[in-house]
Amino acid sequence: MTMTTTPSEEELHERFEDTIAKDRRIEPRDWVPEGYRRTMIRQIAQHAHSEIIGMQPEGNWITRAPSLRRKAILLAKVQDEAGHGLYLYSAAETLGADRDDLTDKLITGRQKYSSIFNYPTSTFADVGVIGWLVDGAAICNQVPLCRSSYGPYARAMIRICKEESFHQRQGYELLMTMMRGTPEQREMVQDATNRFWWPSLMMFGPPDDDSPNTAQSMAWKVKRHTNDELRQRFVDMTVPQAEALGVTLPDPDLAWNAERGHYDFGRIDWSELKQVISGGGPCNAERVARRRHAHEDGAWVREAAAAHARKNRERERKEAVA
Ligand SMILES: [Fe+2]
Ligand SMILES: [Fe+2]
């Protein structure tokens, strides 16, 4: 005979801490402290929103891509971002989040997404620079998340990172092609680099001494490196790429520091990040309004899908009775 007793809150806590300490994954069936659940849902939802909103700046160029080949590549890339968003909303659902509720939070401005998508894309070179710098920064952020303590999130990240690395390469290849082109094309690449460099550095979030949640997230192993560590890694990785490309990164203080074994870089304007995150960026209102319209336009699809599912259930029920 086996006896099953309900474990106490304390025992559940111990089990949770033990899983984290042994570097094992937390799965949807496992008990988690409320703070962990809330933190994970917020992180995954903000990530999902970023993928979905991130379709817009480049999506604007699909109809104006300069060739069929560039259009096909861009379409595939933007479609990948939609897929990333869907995986991530599903991962958030395994923690008990409600997808409609998350969407509602996004379109009413109660939940954030990456500030980088609030900048306009004014030339086709922006498509290349976004692939190179924005997807490049996303990879730096996301590769360590493949070892996040929450299983469904970590596994989603593995596939997402593979696709992000395709995005980064397509951006770099586009820029290489433009740099071999006319002086005007080279000028476009330099101009896009000037506009996106600093906002890309801001993608890693506020500096460590102003990032109150970092310590807890590191303890829970939902985060593996601090914002400043990842930012430095991105700078170190990107400087040689800029040199190979032949563009100048817009920072006079950028210099190799042999003592540290890293590149030094200039001061980031954190007031700009604060302003863009709190809704005051060049495109915040436009991005959210467009997402809201798309959601309203899609209401009939969701209703039809729900009605179809209802009919199927009804049919199955009748067949089971008969
Ligand atoms: Fe993505
Ligand atoms: Fe991407």
Side-chain angles (χ1 to χ4, degrees):
M1 201 178 87
T2 52
M3 287 238 307
T4 47
T5 50
T6 322
S8 69
E9 175 107 6
E10 208 171 299
E11 286 166 329
L12 290 168
H13 239 287
E14 255 167 43
R15 250 182 245 173
F16 170 81
E17 294 295 348
D18 189 53
T19 307
I20 301 276
K22 290 193 172 123
D23 244 331
R24 298 208 178 112
R25 299 283 166 268
I26 303 285
E27 295 298 336
R29 60 170 185 272
D30 296 335
W31 179 92
V32 294
E34 213 27 52
Y36 180 90
R37 182 185 306 279
R38 268 201 313 272
T39 299
M40 270 334 286
I41 290 178
R42 195 187 54 234
Q43 182 178 340
I44 298 173
Q46 284 179 357
H47 191 166
H49 298 331
S50 303
E51 302 283 356
I52 296 296
I53 295 285
M55 296 165 75
Q56 291 186 34
E58 290 173 283
N60 283 337
W61 282 95
I62 291 173
T63 55
R64 292 173 289 165
S67 69
L68 184 60
R69 179 171 174 266
R70 292 292 170 198
K71 190 193 285 256
I73 294 170
L74 186 54
L75 258 177
K77 196 229 170 189
V78 171
Q79 228 161 33
D80 282 353
E81 307 299 7
H84 298 171
L86 299 186
Y87 292 154
L88 291 167
Y89 284 127
S90 301
E93 283 178 322
T94 66
L95 286 155
D98 176 70
R99 170 102 171 254
D100 285 336
D101 177 54
L102 297 181
T103 301
D104 195 60
K105 284 190 171 121
L106 170 64
I107 62 182
T108 54
R110 285 175 298 144
Q111 226 163 29
K112 312 243 179 275
Y113 53 88
S114 176
S115 59
I116 193 76
F117 302 118
N118 292 313
Y119 292 87
T121 41
S122 42
T123 74
F124 197 71
D126 292 19
V127 169
V129 167
I130 288 177
W132 173 38
L133 297 180
V134 176
D135 290 275
I139 292 169
C140 271
N141 257 329
Q142 292 172 11
V143 164
L145 294 178
C146 297
R147 296 188 301 123
S148 159
S149 60
Y150 190 58
Y153 189 45
R155 288 188 291 273
M157 273 311 126
I158 293 173
R159 174 154 177 193
I160 289 177
C161 282
K162 285 185 182 155
E163 294 181 346
E164 296 302 357
S165 103
F166 154 68
H167 298 169
Q168 208 252 357
R169 280 151 195 247
Q170 70 82 33
Y172 198 72
E173 189 268 345
L174 167 56
L175 297 178
M176 275 293 195
T177 307
M178 290 185 79
M179 291 305 281
R180 285 193 300 265
T182 63
E184 286 82 2
Q185 285 177 306
R186 281 194 285 280
E187 184 43 46
M188 278 165 74
V189 175
Q190 183 61 59
D191 170 65
T193 305
N194 293 347
R195 284 180 287 110
F196 277 96
W197 173 248
W198 291 104
S200 300
L201 295 188
M202 295 175 199
M203 284 176 70
F204 297 92
D208 292 349
D209 52 22
D210 189 24
S211 178
N213 299 324
T214 292
Q216 180 57 269
S217 291
M218 301 264 289
W220 278 333
K221 297 184 182 169
V222 296
K223 203 170 169 166
R224 297 282 185 162
H225 307 279
T226 70
N227 296 351
D228 287 334
E229 282 166 15
L230 292 167
R231 193 170 3 252
Q232 181 72 63
R233 188 178 290 186
F234 174 70
V235 171
D236 291 347
M237 181 182 97
T238 307
V239 173
Q241 294 172 353
E243 280 165 9
L245 203 53
V247 295
T248 309
L249 296 173
D251 179 359
D253 296 327
L254 199 61
W256 177 251
N257 183 328
E259 210 171 294
R260 289 201 310 125
H262 293 289
Y263 283 93
D264 289 335
F265 53 96
R267 211 189 64 83
I268 296 172
D269 179 3
W270 296 115
S271 64
E272 178 179 325
L273 178 68
K274 283 205 177 107
Q275 195 193 338
V276 177
I277 283 206
S278 57
C283 300
N284 294 59
E286 182 189 327
R287 301 288 188 239
V288 172
R290 185 146 170 212
R291 181 69 195 91
R292 193 183 309 124
H293 278 138
H295 187 66
E296 284 160 7
D297 277 353
W300 70 273
V301 179
R302 293 190 297 278
E303 281 160 23
H308 181 69
R310 222 171 16 247
K311 265 191 192 164
N312 273 350
R313 273 199 306 275
E314 190 66 14
R315 195 175 303 134
E316 276 166 22
R317 198 182 56 81
K318 277 187 188 149
E319 279 169 9
V321 171

